[in-house]
Short mmCIF file of all heavy atoms in Angstrom, two decimals:
data_model
loop_
_atom_site.label_atom_id
_atom_site.label_comp_id
_atom_site.label_asym_id
_atom_site.label_seq_id
_atom_site.Cartn_x
_atom_site.Cartn_y
_atom_site.Cartn_z
N ALA A 1 -6.15 -18.47 -1.55
CA ALA A 1 -5.46 -18.30 -2.82
C ALA A 1 -6.35 -17.54 -3.80
O ALA A 1 -7.57 -17.62 -3.72
CB ALA A 1 -5.07 -19.64 -3.40
N ILE A 2 -5.72 -16.84 -4.69
CA ILE A 2 -6.44 -16.07 -5.70
C ILE A 2 -6.81 -16.99 -6.85
O ILE A 2 -6.03 -17.87 -7.23
CB ILE A 2 -5.58 -14.91 -6.21
CG1 ILE A 2 -5.40 -13.88 -5.10
CG2 ILE A 2 -6.18 -14.25 -7.44
CD1 ILE A 2 -4.55 -12.70 -5.49
N TYR A 3 -7.99 -16.80 -7.40
CA TYR A 3 -8.38 -17.57 -8.58
C TYR A 3 -7.32 -17.35 -9.65
O TYR A 3 -6.97 -16.22 -9.97
CB TYR A 3 -9.75 -17.11 -9.07
CG TYR A 3 -10.26 -17.90 -10.23
CD1 TYR A 3 -10.76 -19.20 -10.06
CD2 TYR A 3 -10.23 -17.37 -11.51
CE1 TYR A 3 -11.21 -19.92 -11.14
CE2 TYR A 3 -10.68 -18.09 -12.59
CZ TYR A 3 -11.18 -19.36 -12.40
OH TYR A 3 -11.62 -20.08 -13.48
N PRO A 4 -6.78 -18.43 -10.23
CA PRO A 4 -5.59 -18.32 -11.09
C PRO A 4 -5.71 -17.39 -12.29
O PRO A 4 -4.71 -16.83 -12.71
CB PRO A 4 -5.36 -19.75 -11.57
CG PRO A 4 -6.23 -20.61 -10.76
CD PRO A 4 -7.23 -19.78 -10.05
N LEU A 5 -6.88 -17.21 -12.84
CA LEU A 5 -6.99 -16.38 -14.03
C LEU A 5 -7.71 -15.06 -13.79
O LEU A 5 -8.14 -14.41 -14.72
CB LEU A 5 -7.70 -17.16 -15.15
CG LEU A 5 -6.97 -18.42 -15.59
CD1 LEU A 5 -7.78 -19.15 -16.65
CD2 LEU A 5 -5.60 -18.10 -16.13
N SER A 6 -7.83 -14.66 -12.54
CA SER A 6 -8.54 -13.43 -12.21
C SER A 6 -7.62 -12.22 -12.30
O SER A 6 -6.89 -11.90 -11.36
CB SER A 6 -9.15 -13.51 -10.82
OG SER A 6 -9.78 -12.29 -10.51
N SER A 7 -7.65 -11.58 -13.43
CA SER A 7 -6.81 -10.41 -13.66
C SER A 7 -7.07 -9.32 -12.62
O SER A 7 -6.15 -8.73 -12.08
CB SER A 7 -7.05 -9.87 -15.07
OG SER A 7 -6.33 -8.69 -15.27
N MET A 8 -8.33 -9.09 -12.33
CA MET A 8 -8.67 -8.01 -11.40
C MET A 8 -8.22 -8.34 -9.97
O MET A 8 -7.81 -7.45 -9.24
CB MET A 8 -10.17 -7.73 -11.43
CG MET A 8 -10.64 -7.10 -12.74
SD MET A 8 -9.72 -5.59 -13.19
CE MET A 8 -10.25 -4.47 -11.93
N ALA A 9 -8.27 -9.60 -9.57
CA ALA A 9 -7.81 -9.96 -8.23
C ALA A 9 -6.32 -9.66 -8.09
O ALA A 9 -5.89 -9.10 -7.08
CB ALA A 9 -8.09 -11.44 -7.97
N TYR A 10 -5.53 -10.02 -9.11
CA TYR A 10 -4.10 -9.72 -9.07
C TYR A 10 -3.85 -8.22 -9.14
O TYR A 10 -2.93 -7.71 -8.50
CB TYR A 10 -3.37 -10.45 -10.20
CG TYR A 10 -3.09 -11.89 -9.86
CD1 TYR A 10 -3.98 -12.88 -10.20
CD2 TYR A 10 -1.94 -12.24 -9.17
CE1 TYR A 10 -3.74 -14.20 -9.89
CE2 TYR A 10 -1.68 -13.56 -8.84
CZ TYR A 10 -2.59 -14.54 -9.20
OH TYR A 10 -2.34 -15.84 -8.87
N TYR A 11 -4.67 -7.52 -9.90
CA TYR A 11 -4.54 -6.06 -10.00
C TYR A 11 -4.73 -5.42 -8.61
O TYR A 11 -3.92 -4.60 -8.19
CB TYR A 11 -5.57 -5.53 -10.99
CG TYR A 11 -5.73 -4.04 -10.97
CD1 TYR A 11 -4.79 -3.21 -11.58
CD2 TYR A 11 -6.82 -3.44 -10.35
CE1 TYR A 11 -4.93 -1.83 -11.57
CE2 TYR A 11 -6.97 -2.07 -10.34
CZ TYR A 11 -6.03 -1.27 -10.94
OH TYR A 11 -6.17 0.09 -10.92
N PHE A 12 -5.80 -5.81 -7.91
CA PHE A 12 -6.06 -5.21 -6.61
C PHE A 12 -5.04 -5.64 -5.57
O PHE A 12 -4.65 -4.86 -4.69
CB PHE A 12 -7.49 -5.51 -6.14
CG PHE A 12 -8.51 -4.72 -6.89
CD1 PHE A 12 -9.47 -5.35 -7.66
CD2 PHE A 12 -8.51 -3.34 -6.86
CE1 PHE A 12 -10.41 -4.62 -8.38
CE2 PHE A 12 -9.44 -2.59 -7.57
CZ PHE A 12 -10.40 -3.25 -8.32
N ARG A 13 -4.57 -6.88 -5.67
CA ARG A 13 -3.51 -7.31 -4.75
C ARG A 13 -2.23 -6.52 -5.01
O ARG A 13 -1.53 -6.12 -4.07
CB ARG A 13 -3.26 -8.82 -4.86
CG ARG A 13 -2.30 -9.30 -3.78
CD ARG A 13 -2.22 -10.79 -3.71
NE ARG A 13 -1.33 -11.31 -4.75
CZ ARG A 13 -0.93 -12.57 -4.80
NH1 ARG A 13 -1.36 -13.45 -3.91
NH2 ARG A 13 -0.11 -12.97 -5.76
N ALA A 14 -1.94 -6.26 -6.27
CA ALA A 14 -0.77 -5.44 -6.62
C ALA A 14 -0.90 -4.04 -6.03
O ALA A 14 0.08 -3.48 -5.51
CB ALA A 14 -0.59 -5.38 -8.13
N LYS A 15 -2.09 -3.47 -6.10
CA LYS A 15 -2.31 -2.14 -5.52
C LYS A 15 -2.04 -2.16 -4.01
O LYS A 15 -1.45 -1.22 -3.46
CB LYS A 15 -3.74 -1.66 -5.79
CG LYS A 15 -4.02 -1.27 -7.22
CD LYS A 15 -3.35 0.05 -7.53
CE LYS A 15 -3.92 0.66 -8.78
NZ LYS A 15 -3.32 1.96 -9.07
N CYS A 16 -2.47 -3.23 -3.34
CA CYS A 16 -2.21 -3.35 -1.90
C CYS A 16 -0.72 -3.46 -1.62
O CYS A 16 -0.21 -2.82 -0.70
CB CYS A 16 -2.94 -4.56 -1.32
SG CYS A 16 -4.73 -4.38 -1.29
N LYS A 17 -0.03 -4.28 -2.41
CA LYS A 17 1.41 -4.43 -2.22
C LYS A 17 2.14 -3.11 -2.46
O LYS A 17 3.09 -2.79 -1.76
CB LYS A 17 1.96 -5.52 -3.14
CG LYS A 17 1.56 -6.91 -2.71
CD LYS A 17 2.10 -7.97 -3.64
CE LYS A 17 1.72 -9.36 -3.18
NZ LYS A 17 2.26 -10.41 -4.05
N PHE A 18 1.66 -2.34 -3.44
CA PHE A 18 2.25 -1.03 -3.70
C PHE A 18 2.12 -0.13 -2.48
O PHE A 18 3.07 0.52 -2.07
CB PHE A 18 1.59 -0.39 -4.92
CG PHE A 18 2.13 0.97 -5.24
CD1 PHE A 18 3.29 1.10 -6.00
CD2 PHE A 18 1.52 2.11 -4.78
CE1 PHE A 18 3.81 2.36 -6.29
CE2 PHE A 18 2.02 3.37 -5.06
CZ PHE A 18 3.17 3.49 -5.82
N LYS A 19 0.93 -0.13 -1.88
CA LYS A 19 0.70 0.70 -0.68
C LYS A 19 1.59 0.27 0.48
O LYS A 19 1.94 1.08 1.33
CB LYS A 19 -0.77 0.62 -0.26
CG LYS A 19 -1.73 1.26 -1.21
CD LYS A 19 -1.77 2.73 -1.02
CE LYS A 19 -2.89 3.32 -1.85
NZ LYS A 19 -2.92 4.74 -1.79
N GLN A 20 1.96 -1.00 0.51
CA GLN A 20 2.84 -1.53 1.55
C GLN A 20 4.32 -1.35 1.20
O GLN A 20 5.18 -1.85 1.91
CB GLN A 20 2.56 -3.01 1.78
CG GLN A 20 1.17 -3.29 2.29
CD GLN A 20 0.86 -4.78 2.29
OE1 GLN A 20 1.40 -5.56 1.52
NE2 GLN A 20 -0.04 -5.17 3.18
N LEU A 21 4.60 -0.67 0.09
CA LEU A 21 5.94 -0.43 -0.41
C LEU A 21 6.65 -1.72 -0.86
O LEU A 21 7.87 -1.77 -0.95
CB LEU A 21 6.81 0.32 0.61
CG LEU A 21 6.21 1.60 1.20
CD1 LEU A 21 7.17 2.23 2.18
CD2 LEU A 21 5.81 2.57 0.10
N ASN A 22 5.87 -2.75 -1.14
CA ASN A 22 6.39 -4.01 -1.66
C ASN A 22 6.34 -3.92 -3.19
O ASN A 22 5.49 -4.51 -3.84
CB ASN A 22 5.54 -5.18 -1.15
CG ASN A 22 6.01 -6.52 -1.70
OD1 ASN A 22 6.96 -6.61 -2.47
ND2 ASN A 22 5.30 -7.57 -1.32
N TYR A 23 7.27 -3.15 -3.73
CA TYR A 23 7.24 -2.86 -5.17
C TYR A 23 7.51 -4.09 -6.03
O TYR A 23 6.88 -4.26 -7.07
CB TYR A 23 8.22 -1.75 -5.50
CG TYR A 23 7.94 -0.47 -4.75
CD1 TYR A 23 8.86 0.08 -3.88
CD2 TYR A 23 6.72 0.18 -4.91
CE1 TYR A 23 8.59 1.25 -3.18
CE2 TYR A 23 6.43 1.34 -4.21
CZ TYR A 23 7.37 1.87 -3.35
OH TYR A 23 7.08 3.02 -2.66
N GLN A 24 8.42 -4.96 -5.61
CA GLN A 24 8.71 -6.15 -6.39
C GLN A 24 7.49 -7.06 -6.46
O GLN A 24 7.15 -7.60 -7.51
CB GLN A 24 9.91 -6.91 -5.82
CG GLN A 24 10.33 -8.09 -6.68
CD GLN A 24 10.69 -7.67 -8.11
OE1 GLN A 24 11.37 -6.69 -8.32
NE2 GLN A 24 10.20 -8.43 -9.08
N GLY A 25 6.82 -7.24 -5.33
CA GLY A 25 5.60 -8.05 -5.32
C GLY A 25 4.51 -7.44 -6.18
O GLY A 25 3.79 -8.15 -6.88
N ALA A 26 4.41 -6.13 -6.14
CA ALA A 26 3.42 -5.43 -6.96
C ALA A 26 3.73 -5.59 -8.44
O ALA A 26 2.83 -5.84 -9.25
CB ALA A 26 3.36 -3.96 -6.58
N VAL A 27 5.00 -5.50 -8.81
CA VAL A 27 5.40 -5.68 -10.21
C VAL A 27 4.99 -7.06 -10.70
O VAL A 27 4.44 -7.21 -11.79
CB VAL A 27 6.92 -5.47 -10.39
CG1 VAL A 27 7.41 -6.03 -11.71
CG2 VAL A 27 7.26 -3.99 -10.28
N GLU A 28 5.23 -8.08 -9.88
CA GLU A 28 4.87 -9.44 -10.25
C GLU A 28 3.36 -9.57 -10.47
O GLU A 28 2.91 -10.16 -11.46
CB GLU A 28 5.34 -10.43 -9.19
CG GLU A 28 6.85 -10.55 -9.13
CD GLU A 28 7.32 -11.36 -7.93
OE1 GLU A 28 6.49 -12.00 -7.25
OE2 GLU A 28 8.54 -11.34 -7.68
N ASP A 29 2.57 -9.03 -9.55
CA ASP A 29 1.12 -9.13 -9.68
C ASP A 29 0.59 -8.29 -10.83
O ASP A 29 -0.33 -8.72 -11.54
CB ASP A 29 0.44 -8.75 -8.37
CG ASP A 29 0.51 -9.86 -7.33
OD1 ASP A 29 0.95 -10.99 -7.66
OD2 ASP A 29 0.13 -9.60 -6.17
N PHE A 30 1.14 -7.10 -11.04
CA PHE A 30 0.72 -6.30 -12.20
C PHE A 30 1.04 -7.05 -13.49
O PHE A 30 0.26 -7.03 -14.44
CB PHE A 30 1.40 -4.93 -12.21
CG PHE A 30 0.81 -3.94 -11.25
CD1 PHE A 30 1.62 -3.19 -10.40
CD2 PHE A 30 -0.56 -3.71 -11.19
CE1 PHE A 30 1.09 -2.26 -9.53
CE2 PHE A 30 -1.11 -2.79 -10.31
CZ PHE A 30 -0.29 -2.06 -9.48
N GLY A 31 2.20 -7.71 -13.53
CA GLY A 31 2.58 -8.47 -14.71
C GLY A 31 1.60 -9.59 -15.00
O GLY A 31 1.18 -9.79 -16.14
N PHE A 32 1.21 -10.32 -13.96
CA PHE A 32 0.24 -11.39 -14.16
C PHE A 32 -1.10 -10.82 -14.60
O PHE A 32 -1.76 -11.36 -15.48
CB PHE A 32 0.07 -12.24 -12.90
CG PHE A 32 -0.78 -13.44 -13.15
CD1 PHE A 32 -0.22 -14.60 -13.66
CD2 PHE A 32 -2.14 -13.41 -12.93
CE1 PHE A 32 -1.01 -15.71 -13.92
CE2 PHE A 32 -2.94 -14.51 -13.19
CZ PHE A 32 -2.38 -15.67 -13.69
N SER A 33 -1.47 -9.72 -14.00
CA SER A 33 -2.74 -9.08 -14.35
C SER A 33 -2.75 -8.67 -15.83
O SER A 33 -3.75 -8.82 -16.52
CB SER A 33 -2.98 -7.86 -13.46
OG SER A 33 -4.21 -7.27 -13.73
N LEU A 34 -1.62 -8.18 -16.32
CA LEU A 34 -1.54 -7.78 -17.73
C LEU A 34 -1.69 -8.96 -18.67
O LEU A 34 -2.26 -8.82 -19.76
CB LEU A 34 -0.21 -7.08 -18.00
CG LEU A 34 -0.14 -5.63 -17.57
CD1 LEU A 34 1.30 -5.14 -17.61
CD2 LEU A 34 -1.03 -4.77 -18.46
N LYS A 35 -1.19 -10.12 -18.28
CA LYS A 35 -1.29 -11.29 -19.15
C LYS A 35 -2.73 -11.70 -19.41
O LYS A 35 -3.04 -12.30 -20.43
CB LYS A 35 -0.54 -12.48 -18.53
CG LYS A 35 0.95 -12.33 -18.53
CD LYS A 35 1.60 -13.55 -17.89
CE LYS A 35 3.09 -13.33 -17.75
NZ LYS A 35 3.74 -14.44 -17.04
N ASN A 36 -3.61 -11.39 -18.48
CA ASN A 36 -5.00 -11.82 -18.58
C ASN A 36 -5.99 -10.64 -18.60
O ASN A 36 -7.18 -10.85 -18.45
CB ASN A 36 -5.34 -12.74 -17.40
CG ASN A 36 -4.47 -13.96 -17.38
OD1 ASN A 36 -4.57 -14.80 -18.26
ND2 ASN A 36 -3.59 -14.07 -16.40
N ALA A 37 -5.48 -9.44 -18.79
CA ALA A 37 -6.33 -8.25 -18.71
C ALA A 37 -7.21 -8.10 -19.94
O ALA A 37 -6.78 -8.36 -21.06
CB ALA A 37 -5.49 -7.00 -18.54
N SER A 38 -8.42 -7.67 -19.70
CA SER A 38 -9.31 -7.31 -20.80
C SER A 38 -9.76 -5.86 -20.65
O SER A 38 -10.44 -5.33 -21.50
CB SER A 38 -10.53 -8.23 -20.83
OG SER A 38 -11.24 -8.14 -19.61
N GLU A 39 -9.34 -5.25 -19.56
CA GLU A 39 -9.62 -3.83 -19.31
C GLU A 39 -8.58 -3.29 -18.36
O GLU A 39 -7.79 -4.05 -17.79
CB GLU A 39 -11.03 -3.65 -18.73
CG GLU A 39 -11.25 -4.42 -17.45
CD GLU A 39 -12.68 -4.34 -16.94
OE1 GLU A 39 -13.60 -4.59 -17.71
OE2 GLU A 39 -12.84 -4.00 -15.76
N ASN A 40 -8.54 -2.01 -18.20
CA ASN A 40 -7.61 -1.32 -17.28
C ASN A 40 -6.14 -1.44 -17.66
O ASN A 40 -5.28 -1.23 -16.82
CB ASN A 40 -7.79 -1.80 -15.83
CG ASN A 40 -9.10 -1.44 -15.24
OD1 ASN A 40 -9.73 -0.48 -15.64
ND2 ASN A 40 -9.54 -2.22 -14.28
N GLU A 41 -5.85 -1.80 -18.90
CA GLU A 41 -4.44 -1.96 -19.28
C GLU A 41 -3.63 -0.70 -19.04
O GLU A 41 -2.50 -0.77 -18.57
CB GLU A 41 -4.30 -2.39 -20.75
CG GLU A 41 -4.70 -3.81 -21.02
CD GLU A 41 -6.14 -3.94 -21.48
OE1 GLU A 41 -6.93 -2.98 -21.27
OE2 GLU A 41 -6.47 -4.98 -22.05
N ALA A 42 -4.21 0.45 -19.35
CA ALA A 42 -3.48 1.71 -19.17
C ALA A 42 -3.08 1.89 -17.70
O ALA A 42 -1.92 2.18 -17.39
CB ALA A 42 -4.31 2.89 -19.65
N ASP A 43 -4.02 1.69 -16.80
CA ASP A 43 -3.74 1.87 -15.38
C ASP A 43 -2.73 0.85 -14.89
O ASP A 43 -1.86 1.16 -14.07
CB ASP A 43 -5.02 1.80 -14.56
CG ASP A 43 -4.77 2.13 -13.09
OD1 ASP A 43 -4.13 3.17 -12.83
OD2 ASP A 43 -5.17 1.35 -12.23
N ILE A 44 -2.83 -0.38 -15.38
CA ILE A 44 -1.90 -1.42 -14.94
C ILE A 44 -0.48 -1.06 -15.37
O ILE A 44 0.46 -1.13 -14.58
CB ILE A 44 -2.31 -2.80 -15.49
CG1 ILE A 44 -3.67 -3.21 -14.94
CG2 ILE A 44 -1.26 -3.85 -15.12
CD1 ILE A 44 -4.29 -4.42 -15.62
N TYR A 45 -0.32 -0.65 -16.64
CA TYR A 45 1.02 -0.27 -17.11
C TYR A 45 1.55 0.94 -16.35
O TYR A 45 2.72 0.98 -15.96
CB TYR A 45 1.00 0.04 -18.61
CG TYR A 45 1.15 -1.17 -19.48
CD1 TYR A 45 0.14 -1.55 -20.35
CD2 TYR A 45 2.30 -1.95 -19.45
CE1 TYR A 45 0.27 -2.67 -21.17
CE2 TYR A 45 2.45 -3.06 -20.25
CZ TYR A 45 1.43 -3.41 -21.11
OH TYR A 45 1.58 -4.52 -21.91
N LEU A 46 0.71 1.93 -16.11
CA LEU A 46 1.17 3.12 -15.40
C LEU A 46 1.53 2.80 -13.95
O LEU A 46 2.52 3.31 -13.42
CB LEU A 46 0.12 4.23 -15.48
CG LEU A 46 -0.14 4.76 -16.90
CD1 LEU A 46 -1.31 5.74 -16.89
CD2 LEU A 46 1.10 5.40 -17.48
N SER A 47 0.74 1.95 -13.32
CA SER A 47 1.04 1.56 -11.94
C SER A 47 2.32 0.74 -11.85
O SER A 47 3.15 0.97 -10.97
CB SER A 47 -0.13 0.74 -11.37
OG SER A 47 -1.29 1.53 -11.30
N ARG A 48 2.48 -0.21 -12.79
CA ARG A 48 3.71 -1.00 -12.78
C ARG A 48 4.92 -0.11 -13.09
O ARG A 48 5.99 -0.27 -12.50
CB ARG A 48 3.61 -2.15 -13.78
CG ARG A 48 4.77 -3.13 -13.65
CD ARG A 48 4.60 -4.33 -14.52
NE ARG A 48 4.86 -3.99 -15.92
CZ ARG A 48 4.97 -4.89 -16.89
NH1 ARG A 48 4.81 -6.18 -16.63
NH2 ARG A 48 5.20 -4.51 -18.13
N GLY A 49 4.74 0.85 -13.98
CA GLY A 49 5.82 1.79 -14.29
C GLY A 49 6.24 2.58 -13.06
O GLY A 49 7.43 2.83 -12.83
N THR A 50 5.28 2.95 -12.25
CA THR A 50 5.58 3.67 -11.00
C THR A 50 6.38 2.79 -10.06
O THR A 50 7.32 3.26 -9.41
CB THR A 50 4.28 4.15 -10.34
OG1 THR A 50 3.58 4.99 -11.26
CG2 THR A 50 4.56 4.93 -9.07
N CYS A 51 6.04 1.50 -10.00
CA CYS A 51 6.83 0.57 -9.17
C CYS A 51 8.27 0.50 -9.67
O CYS A 51 9.21 0.54 -8.87
CB CYS A 51 6.21 -0.83 -9.21
SG CYS A 51 4.65 -0.98 -8.35
N PHE A 52 8.43 0.38 -10.98
CA PHE A 52 9.77 0.33 -11.55
C PHE A 52 10.54 1.61 -11.22
O PHE A 52 11.72 1.57 -10.90
CB PHE A 52 9.73 0.13 -13.06
CG PHE A 52 9.42 -1.27 -13.50
CD1 PHE A 52 8.51 -1.52 -14.51
CD2 PHE A 52 10.06 -2.36 -12.93
CE1 PHE A 52 8.24 -2.80 -14.95
CE2 PHE A 52 9.81 -3.66 -13.36
CZ PHE A 52 8.89 -3.88 -14.37
N LEU A 53 9.86 2.74 -11.29
CA LEU A 53 10.50 4.01 -10.97
C LEU A 53 10.96 4.03 -9.51
O LEU A 53 12.07 4.48 -9.21
CB LEU A 53 9.53 5.16 -11.25
CG LEU A 53 10.10 6.55 -11.37
CD1 LEU A 53 11.13 6.63 -12.49
CD2 LEU A 53 8.99 7.55 -11.61
N GLU A 54 10.13 3.53 -8.63
CA GLU A 54 10.46 3.50 -7.20
C GLU A 54 11.66 2.61 -6.91
O GLU A 54 12.38 2.83 -5.93
CB GLU A 54 9.25 3.03 -6.37
CG GLU A 54 8.12 4.02 -6.31
CD GLU A 54 8.44 5.25 -5.49
OE1 GLU A 54 9.33 5.20 -4.62
OE2 GLU A 54 7.80 6.28 -5.71
N THR A 55 11.89 1.59 -7.74
CA THR A 55 13.01 0.68 -7.51
C THR A 55 14.23 1.05 -8.35
O THR A 55 15.21 0.31 -8.40
CB THR A 55 12.61 -0.78 -7.81
OG1 THR A 55 12.21 -0.90 -9.18
CG2 THR A 55 11.51 -1.25 -6.89
N GLY A 56 14.16 2.20 -9.02
CA GLY A 56 15.30 2.68 -9.79
C GLY A 56 15.46 2.06 -11.17
O GLY A 56 16.48 2.25 -11.82
N GLU A 57 14.45 1.34 -11.62
CA GLU A 57 14.50 0.71 -12.95
C GLU A 57 13.84 1.65 -13.97
O GLU A 57 12.75 1.39 -14.46
CB GLU A 57 13.81 -0.65 -12.91
CG GLU A 57 14.49 -1.63 -11.96
CD GLU A 57 13.77 -2.94 -11.88
OE1 GLU A 57 13.97 -3.79 -12.77
OE2 GLU A 57 12.99 -3.11 -10.92
N THR A 58 14.55 2.72 -14.28
CA THR A 58 13.95 3.79 -15.09
C THR A 58 13.64 3.37 -16.52
O THR A 58 12.64 3.81 -17.09
CB THR A 58 14.86 5.03 -15.10
OG1 THR A 58 16.17 4.66 -15.53
CG2 THR A 58 14.94 5.67 -13.73
N GLU A 59 14.47 2.52 -17.11
CA GLU A 59 14.20 2.07 -18.48
C GLU A 59 12.88 1.30 -18.55
O GLU A 59 12.07 1.52 -19.46
CB GLU A 59 15.34 1.20 -19.02
CG GLU A 59 16.65 1.95 -19.18
CD GLU A 59 16.61 2.98 -20.29
OE1 GLU A 59 15.96 2.73 -21.32
OE2 GLU A 59 17.21 4.05 -20.12
N LYS A 60 12.68 0.40 -17.60
CA LYS A 60 11.44 -0.37 -17.56
C LYS A 60 10.26 0.55 -17.26
O LYS A 60 9.16 0.38 -17.80
CB LYS A 60 11.53 -1.47 -16.52
CG LYS A 60 12.46 -2.59 -16.90
CD LYS A 60 12.48 -3.66 -15.81
CE LYS A 60 13.43 -4.78 -16.17
NZ LYS A 60 13.46 -5.81 -15.10
N ALA A 61 10.48 1.53 -16.38
CA ALA A 61 9.42 2.48 -16.05
C ALA A 61 8.99 3.26 -17.28
O ALA A 61 7.79 3.36 -17.57
CB ALA A 61 9.89 3.43 -14.95
N LEU A 62 9.95 3.78 -18.02
CA LEU A 62 9.62 4.55 -19.23
C LEU A 62 8.89 3.69 -20.26
O LEU A 62 7.93 4.15 -20.89
CB LEU A 62 10.89 5.14 -19.85
CG LEU A 62 11.52 6.28 -19.06
CD1 LEU A 62 12.86 6.68 -19.70
CD2 LEU A 62 10.59 7.48 -19.00
N ALA A 63 9.31 2.45 -20.40
CA ALA A 63 8.65 1.54 -21.35
C ALA A 63 7.18 1.33 -20.96
O ALA A 63 6.29 1.36 -21.80
CB ALA A 63 9.38 0.22 -21.44
N ASP A 64 6.94 1.11 -19.66
CA ASP A 64 5.56 0.91 -19.21
C ASP A 64 4.74 2.19 -19.32
O ASP A 64 3.56 2.14 -19.69
CB ASP A 64 5.53 0.40 -17.77
CG ASP A 64 5.58 -1.11 -17.69
OD1 ASP A 64 5.73 -1.78 -18.75
OD2 ASP A 64 5.47 -1.65 -16.57
N PHE A 65 5.33 3.33 -19.03
CA PHE A 65 4.60 4.59 -19.18
C PHE A 65 4.19 4.80 -20.64
O PHE A 65 3.07 5.22 -20.92
CB PHE A 65 5.43 5.77 -18.68
CG PHE A 65 5.66 5.77 -17.19
CD1 PHE A 65 6.80 6.34 -16.66
CD2 PHE A 65 4.76 5.22 -16.31
CE1 PHE A 65 7.04 6.37 -15.29
CE2 PHE A 65 4.97 5.22 -14.94
CZ PHE A 65 6.12 5.80 -14.43
N GLU A 66 5.09 4.50 -21.55
CA GLU A 66 4.77 4.65 -22.98
C GLU A 66 3.66 3.69 -23.39
O GLU A 66 2.74 4.08 -24.12
CB GLU A 66 6.01 4.42 -23.82
CG GLU A 66 7.01 5.55 -23.73
CD GLU A 66 8.31 5.28 -24.45
OE1 GLU A 66 8.47 4.19 -25.06
OE2 GLU A 66 9.19 6.16 -24.41
N ARG A 67 3.72 2.45 -22.91
CA ARG A 67 2.66 1.48 -23.23
C ARG A 67 1.33 1.94 -22.64
O ARG A 67 0.31 1.84 -23.30
CB ARG A 67 3.01 0.10 -22.67
CG ARG A 67 4.07 -0.61 -23.44
CD ARG A 67 4.26 -2.04 -22.89
NE ARG A 67 5.51 -2.58 -23.34
CZ ARG A 67 6.55 -2.83 -22.58
NH1 ARG A 67 6.51 -2.59 -21.28
NH2 ARG A 67 7.65 -3.34 -23.08
N GLY A 68 1.36 2.43 -21.43
CA GLY A 68 0.14 2.90 -20.78
C GLY A 68 -0.50 4.05 -21.51
O GLY A 68 -1.73 4.12 -21.64
N LEU A 69 0.31 4.94 -22.02
CA LEU A 69 -0.23 6.10 -22.75
C LEU A 69 -0.89 5.70 -24.06
O LEU A 69 -1.80 6.38 -24.53
CB LEU A 69 0.87 7.12 -23.00
CG LEU A 69 1.37 7.85 -21.76
CD1 LEU A 69 2.56 8.71 -22.09
CD2 LEU A 69 0.26 8.68 -21.14
N ARG A 70 -0.48 4.60 -24.63
CA ARG A 70 -1.11 4.12 -25.88
C ARG A 70 -2.55 3.72 -25.68
O ARG A 70 -3.35 3.76 -26.60
CB ARG A 70 -0.33 2.92 -26.44
CG ARG A 70 0.99 3.30 -27.01
CD ARG A 70 1.67 2.10 -27.66
NE ARG A 70 3.09 2.33 -27.70
CZ ARG A 70 4.02 1.42 -27.52
NH1 ARG A 70 3.66 0.16 -27.30
NH2 ARG A 70 5.29 1.72 -27.55
N TYR A 71 -2.91 3.34 -24.46
CA TYR A 71 -4.28 2.90 -24.18
C TYR A 71 -5.20 4.07 -23.88
O TYR A 71 -6.41 3.94 -23.99
CB TYR A 71 -4.31 1.91 -23.01
CG TYR A 71 -3.83 0.55 -23.40
CD1 TYR A 71 -2.50 0.17 -23.16
CD2 TYR A 71 -4.67 -0.37 -24.01
CE1 TYR A 71 -2.05 -1.09 -23.52
CE2 TYR A 71 -4.23 -1.61 -24.37
CZ TYR A 71 -2.91 -1.97 -24.13
OH TYR A 71 -2.46 -3.22 -24.48
N ASP A 72 -4.66 5.18 -23.45
CA ASP A 72 -5.51 6.35 -23.12
C ASP A 72 -5.81 7.20 -24.32
O ASP A 72 -5.14 7.36 -25.24
CB ASP A 72 -4.87 7.19 -22.02
CG ASP A 72 -5.24 6.70 -20.65
OD1 ASP A 72 -6.16 5.87 -20.55
OD2 ASP A 72 -4.59 7.11 -19.67
#
């Protein structure tokens, strides 16, 4: 099991799920990672936005892309 508050562990697990085309699982892990993130917020939002785009959730994707751009 992943340490419950490890933002980076969930971030990297989300990246793995993304590579496996498990977009819903990746969205869940990116979301948890964001709740506890102290860094990489831009990348997390952009990655989650890409998952939303892949699943046809364009409104959510655009919202995450806009949030991600605020951090860069």
Side-chain angles (χ1 to χ4, degrees):
I2 292 179
Y3 183 75
L5 298 177
S6 177
S7 175
M8 291 306 292
Y10 279 91
Y11 168 77
F12 286 118
R13 188 169 81 170
K15 288 287 197 178
C16 291
K17 288 180 179 181
F18 179 84
K19 292 279 188 184
Q20 297 171 332
L21 309 180
N22 178 0
Y23 301 119
Q24 186 58 44
V27 164
E28 291 171 11
D29 283 351
F30 283 132
F32 188 85
S33 183
L34 281 168
K35 289 180 187 175
N36 300 293
S38 60
E39 58 185 50
N40 293 335
E41 287 95 342
D43 186 50
I44 297 168
Y45 275 117
L46 295 174
S47 296
R48 189 174 74 171
T50 302
C51 290
F52 283 135
L53 197 59
E54 290 290 337
T55 60
E57 298 177 81
T58 54
E59 294 292 323
K60 290 180 181 179
L62 289 173
D64 271 5
F65 292 151
E66 288 174 0
R67 285 186 197 112
L69 290 174
R70 288 186 203 142
Y71 285 96
D72 273 347

